[in-house]
Amino acid sequence: MLNLTGKNALVTGIANNRSIAWGIAQQLHKAGANLGITYMPDERGKMETKVAELVQPLNPSLFIPCNVQNDEQIQSTFKTVHDKWGKLDILIHCLAFANKEDLSGDFSQTSRSGFKTALEISTYSLVQLSGAAKPLMTQGGSIVTLTYLGGVRAIPNYNVMGVAKAGLEMSVRYLAAELGPQNIRVNAISAGPIRTLASSAVGGILDMIHHVEQVAPLRRTVTQLEVGNTAAFLCSDLSSGITGQVLYVDAGYEIMGM
Ligand code: NAD
């Protein structure tokens, strides 16, 4: 049985009810996990209000601002986890960002600052959050991140985010190798294209979804809740032998050649 009762799960990346992290949070809650939610703060506090309202039915016991470009906020997030929970069992890394102008057109025109921003937020943050989670995962743990096929194949317009995802998938392997002796497992879910705030910045996302609906073995793309189910599995003892892997939740699209 998939049972996460007694597990403390920190979930990053909820922006709205279309977020993949929202699908994951719902399924972790359903499996009995105690949730902590982080959100990306903005100056006017709009995101805080919106996310707080959305997650309220899941009764999170922690609700913390955490911009992954801000070291102090990261430190304070994990200090709160330590002070309030004592131990952490699950970390969901479900965030990414690249400037819109770097998500269409010629990859060779990516700016230095755009490249840095994409890799810092989308890739390095997994390394940094995992490093901060490590001392709190005293009874083992599970770290799950989100990636996309554009990290292993050239997908039109995905551009610098593909490079970020390639780095993310390799970071999963290095983290899994380092943290395995502490019984902390690290895996990635490679999700099929889903309409979200982040994906709408990628040029031609609707065409990508349409293409997947025509070509994928299941003749559709996937939902946030399906990704959430796989995340719950990866966070549970049912997947106790799995680490360092990229698991495709994409209606089978990845196996197709044409
Ligand atoms: P989303 O816009 O709902 O989520 C992206 C999140 O990243 C937001 O909550 C945003 O606040 C957060 N974020 C951005 N910059 C941040 C920062 N500096 N600090 C903290 N948080 C920050 O979109 P999503 O599609 O649910 O994306 C979640 C993850 O899933 C991303 O890693 C994305 O690459 C991945 N993914 C998405 C798809 C898709 O088609 N939607 C497919 C495969 C993988």
Side-chain angles (χ1 to χ4, degrees), residues 114-146:
F115 194 98
K116 273 189 184 170
T117 300
L119 275 279
E120 180 191 346
I121 298 178
S122 316
T123 309
Y124 177 67
S125 63
L126 174 71
V127 180
Q128 194 174 17
L129 296 189
S130 299
K134 179 180 175 179
L136 301 182
M137 290 186 158
T138 47
Q139 295 173 25
S142 176
I143 298 172
V144 175
T145 187
L146 267 293

Side-chain angles (χ1 to χ4, degrees), residues 46 132 186 249:
K46 274 174 107 177
V186 189
V249 180

Side-chain angles (χ1 to χ4, degrees), residues 13 15 19-20 40 66-68 94-95 147 165 191 193-194 196-198:
S19 294
I20 293 175
M40 168 76 176
C66 186
N67 177 345
V68 296
C94 193
L95 56 92
T147 185
K165 293 304 191 192
I194 300 174
T196 64
L197 201 61

